[in-house]
Amino acid sequence: MSTDRVIHKAAALAAATVAMGGLVLGTAGPAAAYDNDGRIESGEFGFYYNSDEKGCVFDVYVYDNNFADNSFKDPSSINCAGEGQSTNDNTASYWNRWTGYCYVWTDSYRGGIRGSLPGGYTGNASATFKNQISSTADTV
């Protein structure tokens, strides 16, 4: 095989490798499992610091196994109640803007008592879950 042909094949292989790497990177899912910008958008599950969907928000996309490293955000810059407070064991109400069920647990990593909320549900946490939620997921 000539040197030019070997170089051509090596260049083609390198180009294919780069293209595949770009394809893999382009199809990868989101880097984080949550958005947490304080705005509950379609496809997210939102946790409110206070009852009746009041106060600051923690918004999750898909799941979060441990609320201890998250905090409530103020989407409107009006200094809402709970801003900067840990999300762990501080949720009083929620809104499921995902189409399917969202599951919550009273302990991190899907431990403790499990609850389920259907798509579109909004309301106050029950006595079992109020200020007790520590993790969430969209599948069991």
Side-chain angles (χ1 to χ4, degrees), residues 12-122:
L13 179 62
T17 302
V18 169
M20 286 301 293
L23 178 63
V24 170
L25 290 175
T27 59
Y34 57 91
D35 184 20
N36 197 20
D37 61 2
R39 289 183 291 281
I40 306 169
E41 297 153 331
S42 179
E44 291 183 330
F45 191 89
F47 298 89
Y48 292 90
Y49 183 74
N50 286 334
S51 297
D52 302 318
E53 298 82 52
K54 305 279 189 224
C56 288
V57 173
F58 170 59
D59 53 308
V60 179
Y61 174 73
V62 182
Y63 70 92
D64 192 318
N65 285 322
N66 185 1
F67 283 11
D69 57 353
N70 298 301
S71 60
F72 287 97
K73 305 285 184 193
D74 181 357
S76 59
S77 301
I78 58 170
N79 299 320
C80 57
E83 184 175 7
Q85 296 292 315
S86 172
T87 309
N88 192 55
D89 294 336
N90 265 332
T91 297
S93 58
Y94 24 66
W95 182 14
N96 183 359
R97 290 208 58 202
W98 190 61
T99 57
Y101 275 84
C102 185
Y103 300 92
V104 294
W105 286 267
T106 56
D107 292 332
S108 297
Y109 298 95
R110 302 179 186 187
I113 301 168
R114 184 187 85 189
S116 61
L117 303 159
Y121 180 84
T122 184

